[in-house]
Amino acid sequence: MRLVRAVLMVRAVRLVRAVLMVCAVLTVVWCTVLMVQLCTVLTVHLVRAVLMVHARVVRVPAERWGNNRRPAPRG
């Protein structure tokens, strides 16, 4: 009887270890996917912000002179 109980206990422990290992792997994969999505969203927002600032900086001097006017020649 003790032998059967010991064998069942060993199998139960192995099953619990396997389930915990699967849960750990799935958690790591899930966190990795979430981090990739977060980095992608942050990168997209950063690129959009930089492009908007760049467009403003480039557009302001052009609007000062007008669309077709060129600066007066020097000399």
Side-chain angles (χ1 to χ4, degrees):
M1 195 65 180
R2 288 183 181 178
L3 182 62
V4 173
R5 189 174 287 175
V7 169
L8 288 177
M9 188 64 88
V10 168
R11 286 185 180 177
V13 168
R14 285 182 181 171
L15 180 63
V16 169
R17 280 185 184 173
V19 169
L20 288 177
M21 189 63 70
V22 169
C23 288
V25 169
L26 288 177
T27 302
V28 168
V29 169
W30 184 63
C31 288
T32 304
V33 169
L34 284 180
M35 289 301 295
V36 167
Q37 288 180 350
L38 179 66
C39 290
T40 302
V41 168
L42 290 177
T43 303
V44 168
H45 281 291
L46 181 65
V47 168
R48 288 183 64 195
V50 167
L51 288 177
M52 286 177 63
V53 169
H54 178 70
R56 285 183 189 165
V57 169
V58 170
R59 193 177 303 139
V60 169
E63 288 176 354
R64 282 185 192 157
W65 292 107
N67 289 335
N68 297 323
R69 287 187 56 196
R70 294 179 183 230
R74 296 181 183 174

